Amino acid sequence: MFRNNYDNDSVTFSPQGRIFQVEYALEAIKQGSAAVGLRSKTHVALVALKRNAEELGSYQKKIIPIDKHLGVALAGLSPDARVLSNFMRQQSMASRLLYKRPVPVARVVNAIADKAQVNTQHYGKRPYGVGLLIAGVDETGPHLWEFQPSGQILEYFGAAIGARSQSARTYLERYFESFPDVSRDELVVHGLKALRDTLQQDRELTTDNTSIAIIGIDEDWKQYDGPKVKRFLDLLGEDGTRSQRAARMDTAVDVGGEGEDDDELAALLGPQEGTSAMDTTE
Amino acid sequence: MNQFPHGWGRPRDDVYGAYDASYLNSTEPVTHTQRPIVTGTSVLGVKFKDGVIIAADNIASYGSLARYDNVERLLQVGTHTVIGAGGDISDMQYLHLLLDNLLIREQYPADDHHLYAPQVHTYLSRVLYQRRNKFDPLWNSILTAGADPKTSEPFLSYVDLRGTTFSAPALATGFGAHLAVPILRRYVPDDAAAEALTQEDAEKLVEECMKVLWYRDARSGVTYSWAVIKKDGVETGNKKIENQSWKFAEMIKGYGAQNI
């Protein structure tokens, strides 16, 4: 009757040493639209692609502010992200009340990781079905973390989660070495370019479907949605139109990742890095 | 069968006898701290050019009896903070326990985040205010002194048993608030004056104030602990009040056996 006897709960290992419920939760992230995060020496940016269930409906929120110095982008089940972000807001308020200190990013990320891990070890619980990119600034500078329902957390220079996010990761892997010194706006543009690579052929980044958030060492959380996104989309320039992108993608496929704007990084990365476009999704 | 809902799920009185609730009601009402018992007196604190100095004597009084003369009332909290407590000594020791545990907890993540004076002061103010809201206060007034390890910015703040907090370039608790603060303010009226004050002058100023307190505060002691907190950390020591002159005492009349 059951094809797989080892995926009924999140406490049972398969004989191969896997916990299927946790792996299914990781699949839920890939069902969600993409979110990209990246970090410079001074800023962290989150960009995300919003989806609407139907033409007449509103777009699902992808970026949730937690505090002046902290926020998340999500991919997967947004109600689960609300639960986690509400918890992070509580942690943040507790830290401000008790110590008058903005909560250190790593601490609050560890706290949600512990919460998520518990769900993989207790019968009758289910893992969270959402992945988060956590962007924040604290005493030790700007930080970007990735959270997974398995309870795994990792810190990144650049990260992408959600549907077709491998394309964005490929973009980030090519360019990340230039990120530390780029300006605030350039960082966002890099994020948008990475996000753009996750789009299907007939889609474009618009003011409706794009969400942007940015925090810096001397800059509180700022979020851009709707018309306010236009300024950043304009910075993408001509390169941002559908036909330009299609042309770029074609050349990328043909010559293994040498786009028209790849000159300086080809020099930077050397020849072997071009193959990263062919990496398989994990 | 007991038909009354309050009896459901309880042992039946007719089988087991009535429940003996006497131990729940002690004969005494619940009591909270209503006065301090063993007490410490003043704590002084002064900001100077690149740090703060804080001092408190080593006496613990039982009423007017100088019961202990070797009590350390300054506590280093972390790398760049020292707190000094006046008031009830046992409550002070309880706060030391809380802070020790807090600091141990803070070390676990080993993530380069540390608690400095502003954080410690806020924590103490929350604890004290919470206890006053339980009508069971921790009977202390506390100075928190520290310096920012990056900017060298000095920090000095006061909190008491009601959770009242305030900050000034020179502060004192207890009797010192009456006897030492006027002297301190003559030299350090504002932040600008504190920024101009050298460490040497600040130390002399505190020495002078401790001497005045030794003369005029009957709960004070002749030995005291001091700590200087600067950018590179904490320096501590002990001092005895030197060059005493009790000549003024000859003028005082009206106490003890005297022929007028």
Side-chain angles (χ1 to χ4, degrees), chain A residues 95-107 110 138-141 143, chain B residues 102 105-106 109-116 118-119 122-124 126-127 150:
Chain A
S95 177
R96 280 187 189 274
L97 178 70
L98 198 52
Y99 307 112
K100 214 181 257 180
R101 169 176 76 175
V103 71
V105 181
R107 302 257 174 110
N110 268 295
D138 59 30
E139 286 275 284
T140 56
H143 296 283
Chain B
L102 174 66
R105 275 205 309 280
E106 277 286 313
D111 56 3
D112 234 29
H113 289 281
H114 306 284
L115 295 177
Y116 296 119
Q119 287 83 44
T122 309
Y123 176 78
L124 283 174
R126 299 306 169 200
V127 171
K150 282 194 194 125

Side-chain angles (χ1 to χ4, degrees), chain B residues 182-194:
Chain B
I183 303 168
L184 293 169
R185 282 191 186 161
R186 221 160 43 218
Y187 294 91
V188 195
D190 49 28
D191 278 311

Side-chain angles (χ1 to χ4, degrees), chain B residues 31-52:
Chain B
T31 56
H32 297 314
T33 307
Q34 302 195 26
R35 69 176 77 92
I37 307 298
V38 177
T39 59
T41 181
S42 323
V43 184
L44 304 185
V46 188
K47 284 190 201 174
F48 59 90
K49 208 167 70 182
D50 33 33
V52 201

Side-chain angles (χ1 to χ4, degrees), chain A residues 11-278:
Chain A
V11 301
T12 312
F13 278 103
S14 81
Q16 286 76 39
R18 300 161 63 180
I19 299 173
F20 283 105
Q21 280 298 325
V22 172
E23 293 186 20
Y24 298 159
L26 297 175
E27 288 302 314
I29 301 171
K30 294 179 195 159
Q31 307 279 333
S33 62
V36 174
L38 60 170
R39 195 189 78 182
S40 75
K41 268 186 203 159
T42 54
H43 289 82
V44 206
L46 294 173
V47 295
L49 185 66
K50 290 183 285 188
R51 276 206 291 234
N52 54 348
E54 47 185 303
E55 198 58 23
L56 298 177
S58 64
Y59 285 81
Q60 175 62 47
K61 238 190 186 179
K62 291 285 285 177
I63 296 182
I64 305 172
I66 306 292
D67 200 336
K68 278 199 294 197
H69 70 297
L70 190 64
V72 300
L74 63 106
L77 301 181
S78 48
D80 284 11
R82 270 173 56 79
V83 169
L84 287 169
S85 60
N86 285 341
F87 175 76
M88 290 167 83
R89 284 176 177 176
Q90 283 180 17
Q91 296 284 302
S92 195
M93 284 204 294
S95 177
R96 280 187 189 274
L97 178 70
L98 198 52
Y99 307 112
K100 214 181 257 180
R101 169 176 76 175
V103 71
V105 181
R107 302 257 174 110
V108 73
V109 172
N110 268 295
I112 58 169
D114 290 350
K115 263 173 88 70
Q117 195 280 335
V118 166
N119 290 345
T120 69
Q121 218 179 4
H122 285 271
Y123 190 83
K125 292 197 179 267
R126 86 170 158 78
Y128 291 107
V130 70
L132 301 177
L133 293 177
I134 299 107
V137 171
D138 59 30
E139 286 275 284
T140 56
H143 296 283
L144 173 69
W145 288 84
E146 182 196 32
F147 160 86
Q148 294 194 329
S150 53
Q152 172 160 281
I153 46 166
L154 287 169
E155 189 165 12
Y156 283 93
F157 294 104
I161 54 172
R164 300 160 64 90
S165 59
Q166 181 55 48
S167 314
R169 260 193 308 278
T170 305
Y171 178 93
L172 295 174
E173 280 164 19
R174 278 191 210 161
Y175 287 92
F176 81 96
E177 281 173 281
S178 69
F179 292 168
D181 297 307
V182 299
S183 72
R184 170 190 193 279
D185 284 1
E186 281 171 324
L187 194 68
V188 173
V189 169
H190 271 303
L192 289 172
K193 283 182 176 170
L195 187 66
R196 189 180 58 188
D197 285 357
T198 71
L199 294 172
Q200 289 159 307
Q201 282 295 334
D202 57 337
R203 292 299 175 87
E204 278 192 70
L205 292 181
T206 67
T207 53
D208 289 328
N209 70 10
T210 310
S211 253
I212 299 170
I214 188 149
I215 338 175
I217 288 176
D218 295 315
E219 187 182 348
D220 288 346
W221 173 270
K222 269 204 199 75
Q223 199 173 329
Y224 303 90
D225 283 288
K228 286 178 185 162
V229 170
K230 185 163 184 304
R231 186 170 80 79
F232 294 100
L233 291 180
D234 289 345
L235 288 176
L236 275 173
E238 279 299 295
D239 197 32
T241 67
R242 187 193 308 164
S243 52
Q244 290 282 335
R245 187 164 57 80
R248 214 176 60 85
M249 296 280 271
D250 285 345
T251 50
V253 172
D254 287 346
V255 292
E258 283 226 16
E260 67 276 74
D261 51 356
D262 289 352
D263 300 326
E264 77 277 351
L265 90 136
L268 195 70
L269 295 178
Q272 89 288 4
E273 294 295 324
T275 55
S276 58
M278 292 172 193

Side-chain angles (χ1 to χ4, degrees), chain B residues 81-104:
Chain B
T81 311
V82 174
I83 65 159
D88 194 274
I89 295 294
S90 58
D91 285 356
M92 176 193 81
Q93 288 168 339
Y94 172 66
L95 282 168
H96 288 182
L97 182 84
L98 285 186
L99 287 169
D100 281 345
N101 289 338
L102 174 66
L103 245 80
I104 291 167

